[in-house]
Amino acid sequence: MVTHIFCLLLTCACAMAAPSSQSVNLLMSQVQPQEPDTYLCTSMNVRTIQPYITEFFPHANMDIAHHILLYGCETPGSEEKVWNCGEMLSTSDKAFKSAPVCQTGSKIIYAWAMDAPSLKLPPDVAFKVGGDTGINYLSMQIHYKNVSTFKPPQSKTDSSGVTLITTDVPKANHAGVYLMVTGGEIPVGSIEYLETACPYDDIEIHPFGFRTHTHTLGQVVSGYRVRDGQWTEIGRMDPKLPQMFYNVTNKVTLKTGDILAARCTMQNSLDHDVAIGNTQNDEMCNFYIMYYADGDQPLKEDACFQRGAPNWYLWDYPDQDALNLKDMPVNASTKPGSDYIYKANSTAYVEGLRLALKDINENEMMDEFLDGVISQMDPRDVESLVTPEQDREERDMANAYPGYFYPEEFQ
Ligand code: IYT
Ligand code: CU
Ligand code: CU
């Protein structure tokens, strides 16, 4: 009996010393940013916390903070308690040193913007940090929009941030984020498509959230899985809406043999060309996929980058048979809830489309004639045959890639 009570006490004491779940605050330490659009970062070493993160509770007010991003870093951007980590390093508040969010190995793991609620990962899913995950620090970036309350006479301070629910009980599935990203540029006065696609060749994963990111020129960002030539939307969003993680459009899985594809539809109404780059005056084209996978094996590759316009469009993807562009949804450049199609019209796009369609026509002609006919003909005659007649050309063009749009002259 005595030992029995002793045991009970012991279990109880152990449970108190190491509760299986803890909440951890990652908050700004009473900062007073003085310039609008200041981006501040603070970080924490993950050795001090339990390794499985299952939930995120934001503490922020949308009148003050425009967005919060939480990153896992291999090494933090700075040793400072708080530093300036803006994409637009020009608005540098002299009170803070400037440094990137992470020095090395950055992975986005949570995003808050405007009215985003708390994020609870699916049951048995956690973001793992520490150990061999490559995540040694968590860095939090807050974009301060309105700073008037931090100036005299109010001189308030800010402690916005995120509370993490962590546990040391291993979860069967781990969460991760896959990034689709392009380079490229958007010519003055045009609508342009920045596109990327990659073969998926890894363990089976289950996407459950997506986030889009562009700066001011983005109109629509959409992402897809292509399996057996069939396109399925993972997510589609107006990037001018809060750039947080939304639920996927379709709960599909990704496995070896699939292709991931994404498009940012950009409209440049400014008076100069805009290229992809790291400041707010440049553009970005990002489609993030938040997923979970069985076990804790990380992906070999967690980003898909292509050069983007004017040098790369989806018709430049090497395996066109597998990509099967004619199944690309026509609403890829339409904002959810609207039916307006943003049709690309840049010179590179129009020229590229013309060439891509010419290839298709030639291939189809070849198929029809290859057996027998061509082999018996004079090569010069073959050439005149594979050059399609005008009306056939127009019909084929309209049927070839429904997800692409034909400039007036093609219609
Ligand atoms: C040039 C570009 O597109 N930069 C993006 C993508 C990016 C994400 C991560 C680049 C790096 C990263 O470690 I995660 I290097 C970019 O900077 N996107 C911003 C955040 O920094 C993540 C965004 O809000 O999506
Ligand atoms: Cu912001
Ligand atoms: Cu950006």
Side-chain angles (χ1 to χ4, degrees):
M1 186 59 192
V2 174
T3 46
H4 195 84
I5 290 170
F6 182 73
C7 274
L8 269 175
L9 282 173
L10 201 68
T11 356
C12 186
C14 286
M16 277 187 343
S20 66
S21 172
Q22 288 177 341
S23 69
V24 177
N25 284 328
L26 181 51
L27 305 173
M28 281 297 165
S29 48
Q30 310 199 321
V31 294
Q32 290 181 301
Q34 298 294 303
E35 302 274 346
D37 291 315
T38 298
Y39 291 68
L40 295 182
C41 275
T42 189
S43 79
M44 100 182 343
N45 191 317
V46 299
R47 270 201 307 262
T48 60
I49 68 169
Q50 296 176 321
Y52 300 94
I53 306 174
T54 57
E55 238 173 306
F56 303 85
F57 289 95
H59 303 289
N61 172 341
M62 61 184 266
D63 296 332
I64 290 172
H66 179 256
H67 78 241
I68 299 180
L69 286 176
L70 192 64
Y71 296 79
C73 304
E74 188 179 35
T75 48
S78 166
E79 300 287 303
E80 302 283 315
K81 182 95 195 80
V82 176
W83 71 96
N84 181 324
C85 57
E87 276 179 4
M88 182 166 50
L89 291 171
S90 49
T91 51
S92 50
D93 197 315
K94 297 290 170 294
F96 305 100
K97 290 193 181 162
S98 285
V101 181
C102 301
Q103 275 312 335
T104 60
S106 68
K107 291 189 169 116
I108 200 169
I109 63 178
Y110 172 71
W112 174 90
M114 264 163 85
D115 40 15
S118 60
L119 171 68
K120 187 178 181 151
L121 297 177
D124 294 315
V125 177
F127 271 104
K128 189 173 185 228
V129 297
D132 57 4
T133 61
I135 299 178
N136 304 321
Y137 292 82
L138 290 173
S139 257
M140 176 181 67
Q141 179 192 59
I142 301 189
H143 173 187
Y144 287 95
K145 188 133 196 98
N146 183 343
V147 294
S148 58
T149 57
F150 306 131
K151 296 188 179 190
Q154 289 190 71
S155 301
K156 285 193 181 166
T157 63
D158 184 74
S159 302
S160 299
V162 184
T163 298
L164 312 172
I165 306 298
T166 62
T167 174
D168 51 15
V169 180
K171 297 283 174 187
N173 309 296
H174 78 279
V177 174
Y178 185 97
L179 168 60
M180 314 230 13
V181 54
T182 78
E185 58 186 72
I186 308 107
V188 55
S190 49
I191 295 180
E192 183 61 286
Y193 294 158
L194 299 177
E195 300 178 318
T196 179
C198 293
Y200 182 79
D201 176 22
D202 217 311
I203 55 171
E204 184 172 59
I205 61 173
H206 306 257
F208 61 92
F210 76 98
R211 172 180 179 263
T212 65
H213 174 71
T214 65
H215 297 169
T216 53
L217 307 188
Q219 302 300 330
V220 190
V221 181
S222 49
Y224 301 88
R225 179 197 77 175
V226 186
R227 176 178 288 178
D228 301 327
Q230 201 185 323
W231 287 60
T232 308
E233 184 182 297
I234 295 172
R236 182 161 52 96
M237 193 50 66
D238 173 351
K240 290 195 166 62
L241 296 176
Q243 295 179 354
M244 55 195 212
F245 282 96
Y246 294 93
N247 289 334
V248 291
T249 322
N250 295 290
K251 285 197 175 139
V252 294
T253 62
L254 295 176
K255 63 175 193 208
T256 297
D258 293 341
I259 300 173
L260 284 166
R263 172 193 284 172
C264 299
T265 302
M266 316 293 284
Q267 180 168 34
N268 184 353
S269 312
L270 304 176
D271 60 5
H272 54 274
D273 297 349
V274 180
I276 295 296
N278 281 318
T279 79
Q280 287 292 332
N281 299 323
D282 306 314
E283 263 306 328
M284 287 190 188
C285 167
N286 303 163
F287 183 85
Y288 297 85
I289 300 170
M290 190 180 281
Y291 64 85
Y292 68 85
D294 299 344
D296 62 2
Q297 183 191 334
L299 298 188
K300 291 179 281 185
E301 208 84 69
D302 60 7
C304 167
F305 170 84
Q306 300 294 350
R307 286 167 298 157
N311 298 312
W312 202 93
Y313 295 95
L314 287 174
W315 52 67
D316 295 305
Y317 185 79
D319 189 347
Q320 285 297 310
D321 284 346
L323 190 62
N324 193 26
L325 273 177
K326 68 177 190 299
D327 200 57
M328 182 177 193
V330 233
N331 64 10
S333 293
T334 298
K335 295 180 186 191
S338 147
D339 49 25
Y340 179 77
I341 299 173
Y342 287 84
K343 303 181 179 188
N345 58 11
S346 71
T347 316
Y349 172 85
V350 174
E351 281 310 304
L353 182 62
R354 196 195 299 280
L355 286 174
L357 292 169
K358 192 162 154 269
D359 280 354
I360 290 191
N361 284 324
E362 282 179 358
N363 286 339
E364 282 175 3
M365 292 300 286
M366 292 305 266
D367 282 350
E368 280 175 36
F369 290 100
L370 250 176
D371 298 344
V373 186
I374 284 179
S375 55
Q376 295 159 23
M377 290 170 69
D378 181 299
R380 275 167 299 173
D381 293 340
V382 174
E383 202 168 294
S384 72
L385 255 183
V386 295
T387 306
E389 320 143 27
Q390 192 63 27
D391 50 349
R392 181 188 164 110
E393 182 179 19
E394 279 170 12
R395 194 195 62 213
D396 287 352
M397 280 173 176
N399 293 332
Y401 296 152
Y404 280 91
F405 299 101
Y406 311 99
E408 240 89 279
E409 59 193 284
F410 283 52
Q411 287 164 3

